[in-house]
Amino acid sequence: MRLQNRLNQYQRLYNKTGLVPQAITVSALAAIFCCSERHTRTLLALFQQAGWIRWSSQAGRGKRAEIACLKTPESLRESYLQKLLDEGEHSAALQLSQLDAQHLNTLLAPHLGGQWQEDAPTLRIPYYRAMQTLDPQTLTGRAEQHIAHTLHAGLTRFVTGESAPQPDLAHHWQISHEGKVWQFFLRSHLYWHNGEPLLTRQICQLFETFRQSPRSRHSLDNVEAISQPHALCLQFQLQKPDYWFAHRLADLSCLLFHPHAPTVGAGPFKLAHFAPERVRLEQHPYYHLQRPYLSAIEYWITPHLFDSEIKNKVSCQHPVRITLGEKNQMALVRPVKRSTSLGFCYLAINLRKNALSPAQAQKIVALIRHSGLLDNLPIDHSLVKRSREMLPGWPLPVASTEALETHDGVQLPKKLSLLFHPPMELELVAGALKTLLADEGCELETHYHPGRLWNDAAQLTAVDLMLGDRLIGEAPVATLENWLRQDPLWHAILSDDALDQQNQRLLSIQQHPSESLREEKLRAHFYQLMEHGSITPLFNYQYQVSAPPGVNGVQLTAWGWFDFCRAWLPPPVSQPD
């Protein structure tokens, strides 16, 4: 960046001379700038023309001239930052910035939250970490998954507050042959973000690719054949009836993207800019459903504005609490939406390894629930809430004092191992659990896995305990059914017999047309897993979105973000003459 280089050169000069006029030679200045005398004269001319210095030279080699810096480097950098921000050059501004967090926040604050740019409403969100590449087949972060559902469309989709899948690229679908044949009727005139027509044959080809994808195949492993009966109809022939199928097609793993560009979709917003310091989404002009009210959404990646302890770790505090607007004017920013997430952090116990018996697993769960371990963690308890049920109406097994006393005679192994992944609150749980088990004569060895998902069953088979995080989408029951199918966790912790029994049970459940009956049977299966100690929800997040008075229509999604299609900004009020 040329301006950055010139400012750095000026910083060297200022460090040598300050604001006091100095007599100096060109050769001495060349040594300061670390360049040739010819380039030094070019720099001096540029600095003088810009009004940064006063330079009076004298003819003759080796003659001393007078130079005076007229501005401090900080004031120059700040003025150029402000100019770049006012002109909308956010990426250049963030690259230029070398200010401390507090000073930079003062400059950035007026440019965050809701803004009108050239009569177009734009929402800017300060964010605490860099984004993953927005390929829906590889995403693990909660923010990225939310963006993916904004960029990409599916045959079906989930709508905030609705547990049943809704039409998307398909405006209707019909089920025949007792749940084994599904026909999806596509809207006409569908377009990718790049303006190309979205063709039915492309969708067919994408789903054939998904059937081989490690991320998608679990949703489509029951598909026997995919065909195109006519131009705007897609047909799936299933091996077994599956009344979760419309839910599966709305899942992240089945979002459709351009065959040659994974970040080009057909959702309400398109990806206009992606860089380490800024991500910009713009409204898709050919969107097939109701257009969003906002013209653009920008993430400003500014980790230096957040607490230092989260720079290298993922904390639930960011982005569980999302603030839209000026961080240094919190009096104007108010919480507009709060909710308790249905997703939860959990403890899983490996019974397949046979290092722990069911009775020992149940004792560990009882110790956690009766010790107050979760209530005494050094975290902000307004951000997390101890789990009382797996889903609303799905109670945890009763944890009575008598139940704990029945395990008094159960001895734990001398040594156990635990694996945990982000968020960082799970590290606190791991540490507290280590202390708790030490009191029982059990040494707990802890290991950290940096990914947000388990890679495969092999990494889990060697450990006894796992701490993980389960996101729950808009269709919570279908999400939990999908969890049992796709997560390698279950292959690592359940015995072969238990795994076979689970697969048979899931196959039976999916064939029931009644949604309430499917939920009842799945709830009973998870209750059994919890009773055996295989899985235990620990705590839920408390989601919150705060915004200044000018940001309206904020509606929390199940992911803890807000629906980008419903938020809106009132136009700026013009002052009377």
Side-chain angles (χ1 to χ4, degrees):
M1 186 178 181
R2 185 171 297 176
L3 177 60
Q4 178 77 59
N5 293 334
R6 289 179 183 170
L7 285 170
N8 290 341
Q9 295 280 41
Y10 184 76
Q11 179 79 56
R12 293 192 186 99
L13 174 64
Y14 183 85
N15 290 343
K16 187 70 175 178
T17 68
L19 296 173
V20 179
Q22 302 279 342
I24 196 166
T25 65
V26 172
S27 60
L29 289 170
I32 294 172
F33 293 143
C34 301
C35 64
S36 68
E37 292 187 15
R38 180 179 179 181
H39 186 59
T40 295
R41 289 189 175 88
T42 301
L43 285 175
L44 293 172
L46 290 171
F47 291 171
Q48 189 165 25
Q49 184 179 4
W52 297 3
I53 64 171
R54 185 176 64 251
W55 166 252
S56 56
S57 60
Q58 296 185 42
R61 183 173 180 81
K63 292 288 187 179
R64 287 180 174 268
E66 186 176 86
I67 191 170
C69 291
L70 303 179
K71 299 177 183 294
T72 65
E74 291 78 12
S75 65
L76 280 178
R77 198 177 297 275
E78 184 170 329
S79 65
Y80 278 100
L81 264 175
Q82 193 66 61
K83 182 175 183 292
L84 289 169
L85 289 170
D86 291 341
E87 293 173 353
E89 298 291 338
H90 321 109
S91 298
L94 293 174
Q95 289 175 14
L96 178 65
S97 172
Q98 294 182 354
L99 301 176
D100 61 90
Q102 183 176 1
H103 198 176
L104 178 60
N105 184 50
T106 302
L107 275 179
L108 290 181
H111 301 271
L112 299 175
Q115 300 284 325
W116 282 76
Q117 288 185 305
E118 298 179 356
D119 296 329
T122 300
L123 191 62
R124 294 182 179 135
I125 304 168
Y127 200 63
Y128 73 106
R129 63 170 173 82
M131 293 281 186
Q132 297 171 299
T133 302
L134 297 173
D135 179 349
Q137 290 283 301
T138 62
L139 298 178
T140 59
R142 183 156 54 90
E144 288 90 341
Q145 292 183 48
H146 175 65
I147 294 175
H149 281 281
T150 302
L151 297 178
H152 299 283
L155 290 179
T156 60
R157 67 188 181 119
F158 291 122
V159 175
T160 303
E162 298 282 347
S163 60
Q166 303 298 310
D168 196 354
L169 296 176
H171 56 83
H172 287 87
W173 60 90
Q174 66 182 26
I175 312 166
S176 60
H177 295 74
E178 298 181 334
K180 293 176 67 175
V181 175
W182 291 65
Q183 287 188 326
F184 293 85
F185 303 102
L186 303 180
R187 303 175 193 273
S188 59
H189 305 295
L190 296 171
Y191 294 93
W192 297 110
H193 290 156
N194 60 8
E196 295 178 10
L198 194 163
L199 307 174
T200 308
R201 62 176 172 79
Q202 290 177 316
I203 300 178
C204 282
Q205 293 165 358
L206 283 167
F207 274 111
E208 291 292 355
T209 302
F210 289 168
R211 292 175 71 183
Q212 310 303 319
S213 164
R215 191 72 180 267
S216 307
R217 64 188 179 202
H218 66 272
S219 296
L220 303 169
D221 58 4
N222 188 34
V223 174
E224 189 171 68
I226 305 172
S227 58
Q228 184 181 339
H230 56 80
L232 293 176
C233 180
L234 200 65
Q235 178 173 294
F236 294 84
Q237 174 76 42
L238 308 184
Q239 301 171 37
K240 300 286 186 181
D242 183 7
Y243 288 93
W244 296 114
F245 193 61
H247 296 75
R248 303 194 200 287
L249 296 183
D251 186 69
L252 175 72
S253 63
C254 288
L255 292 181
L256 299 164
F257 50 82
H258 191 281
H260 305 300
T263 59
V264 174
F269 285 88
K270 64 180 180 179
L271 185 63
H273 182 82
F274 186 88
E277 66 280 348
R278 183 173 68 102
V279 175
R280 179 177 170 88
L281 314 179
E282 293 179 354
Q283 192 180 113
H284 177 22
Y286 307 112
Y287 187 49
H288 52 278
L289 298 175
Q290 179 177 325
R291 299 268 290 277
Y293 304 122
L294 293 171
S295 177
I297 295 169
E298 292 182 345
Y299 289 79
W300 284 19
I301 315 301
T302 52
H304 34 288
L305 298 187
F306 295 90
D307 299 333
S308 59
E309 71 267 14
I310 68 162
K311 288 186 179 180
N312 298 315
K313 293 185 178 179
V314 178
S315 168
C316 73
Q317 183 172 353
H318 308 285
V320 170
R321 285 184 173 175
I322 303 168
T323 299
L324 310 175
E326 303 185 10
K327 198 168 190 268
N328 65 341
Q329 293 185 356
M330 294 304 292
L332 298 178
V333 174
R334 72 198 191 284
V336 292
K337 292 292 179 182
R338 290 190 180 98
S339 73
T340 300
S341 73
L342 296 182
F344 48 81
C345 288
Y346 63 83
L347 171 72
I349 298 181
N350 187 350
L351 297 178
R352 183 187 183 94
K353 188 182 172 187
N354 291 323
L356 283 164
S357 67
Q360 289 171 320
Q362 292 161 16
K363 176 170 184 174
I364 291 174
V365 173
L367 285 170
I368 291 173
R369 296 179 66 181
H370 283 276
S371 65
L373 179 151
L374 298 174
D375 297 323
N376 295 319
L377 293 175
I379 57 178
D380 185 348
H381 288 279
S382 67
L383 298 173
V384 299
K385 181 179 180 181
R386 184 175 176 179
S387 298
R388 305 292 181 183
E389 50 191 359
M390 178 166 275
L391 290 179
W394 291 33
L396 305 184
V398 175
S400 63
T401 304
E402 292 77 10
L404 179 61
E405 290 172 353
T406 62
H407 294 97
D408 278 347
V410 176
Q411 295 295 316
L412 296 179
K414 295 296 183 184
K415 192 170 184 177
L416 292 172
S417 58
L418 177 144
L419 185 67
F420 65 95
H421 65 54
M424 64 178 291
E425 282 70 27
L426 290 183
E427 182 177 0
L428 300 175
V429 175
L433 186 56
K434 186 172 187 174
T435 301
L436 179 65
L437 295 188
D439 293 339
E440 298 291 324
C442 175
E443 179 187 351
L444 183 64
E445 185 180 82
T446 62
H447 306 276
Y448 177 66
H449 169 62
R452 292 302 300 261
L453 301 175
W454 305 122
N455 292 337
D456 51 49
Q459 75 173 145
L460 304 175
T461 53
V463 296
D464 305 297
L465 310 175
M466 287 129 265
L467 289 171
D469 179 28
R470 182 69 248 170
L471 294 176
I472 299 294
E474 297 292 348
V477 178
T479 301
L480 286 182
E481 194 269 356
N482 193 38
W483 185 29
L484 295 175
R485 290 179 175 276
Q486 70 167 327
D487 200 323
L489 171 76
W490 307 105
H491 291 271
I493 70 173
L494 298 181
S495 67
D496 288 339
D497 288 343
L499 200 58
D500 288 342
Q501 185 183 55
Q502 175 170 284
N503 292 337
Q504 290 301 315
R505 194 168 288 169
L506 293 178
L507 182 60
S508 172
I509 291 172
Q510 75 179 39
Q511 298 185 55
H512 290 289
S514 168
E515 184 177 354
S516 60
L517 184 58
R518 294 200 304 274
E519 177 176 350
E520 177 186 335
K521 291 184 176 296
L522 194 66
R523 180 174 66 240
H525 177 69
F526 268 103
Y527 191 86
Q528 181 179 330
L529 290 173
M530 290 188 289
E531 269 195 322
H532 291 168
S534 296
I535 196 77
T536 301
L538 299 177
F539 58 82
N540 306 78
Y541 299 135
Q542 298 286 87
Y543 292 151
Q544 176 177 304
V545 174
S546 299
V551 181
N552 300 288
V554 173
Q555 183 168 1
L556 270 173
T557 69
W559 299 95
W561 278 87
F562 60 96
D563 191 333
F564 289 164
C565 292
R566 301 190 186 187
W568 61 279
L569 305 173
V573 178
S574 57
Q575 298 296 327
D577 295 334

